[in-house]
Amino acid sequence: MIGKRSRYAACSLVREGTEKYLSTRPNLEIVPQPDDRFHEVIVGERLDQLAFHYLGDPKLWWVIAEANDIAWASEIEPGTVLRIPSLETVEMKVLK
């Protein structure tokens, strides 16, 4: 049992396949929307840079990762086309 003052108190248990882990990120289901944008990754780009460019906050990199089923942000290859959720979708799902 995790106590109220534990650093894990704000975490939730996330299940991904057969794996379980604690996370402070909300579990999102970002369904494709007509106002999504697409971005082809070029050499040297990172998700935090794209989050700043498209969503205005580099800390929202994980939203792009979640929308594209990316487990490790450092694994995006040049030429990969990413779906970028609109800022409106992010505001409704994450920034409420």
Side-chain angles (χ1 to χ4, degrees):
M1 174 130 173
I2 297 173
K4 290 180 183 178
R5 295 187 336 196
S6 168
R7 65 180 176 174
Y8 301 108
C11 294
S12 58
L13 183 64
V14 176
R15 295 169 201 250
E16 197 168 288
T18 59
E19 300 294 319
K20 296 180 203 173
Y21 56 92
L22 290 174
S23 176
T24 57
R25 291 189 338 198
N27 191 11
L28 295 180
E29 277 205 33
I30 302 178
V31 178
Q33 300 294 319
D35 58 350
D36 288 348
R37 289 169 278 175
F38 294 89
H39 178 89
E40 185 173 344
V41 176
I42 60 172
V43 174
E45 283 187 315
R46 300 185 323 256
L47 291 183
D48 61 330
Q49 294 169 324
L50 297 175
F52 179 75
H53 177 76
Y54 288 104
L55 304 174
D57 187 347
K59 290 183 258 171
L60 294 175
W61 65 268
W62 63 270
V63 173
I64 298 172
E66 183 91 11
N68 291 279
D69 200 27
I70 297 172
W72 301 103
S74 61
E75 291 181 355
I76 56 172
E77 296 287 327
T80 302
V81 176
L82 298 174
R83 181 172 63 87
I84 312 290
S86 71
L87 183 56
E88 292 76 20
T89 300
V90 172
E91 287 173 341
M92 287 189 307
K93 295 239 179 214
V94 179
L95 306 175
K96 11 180 174 165

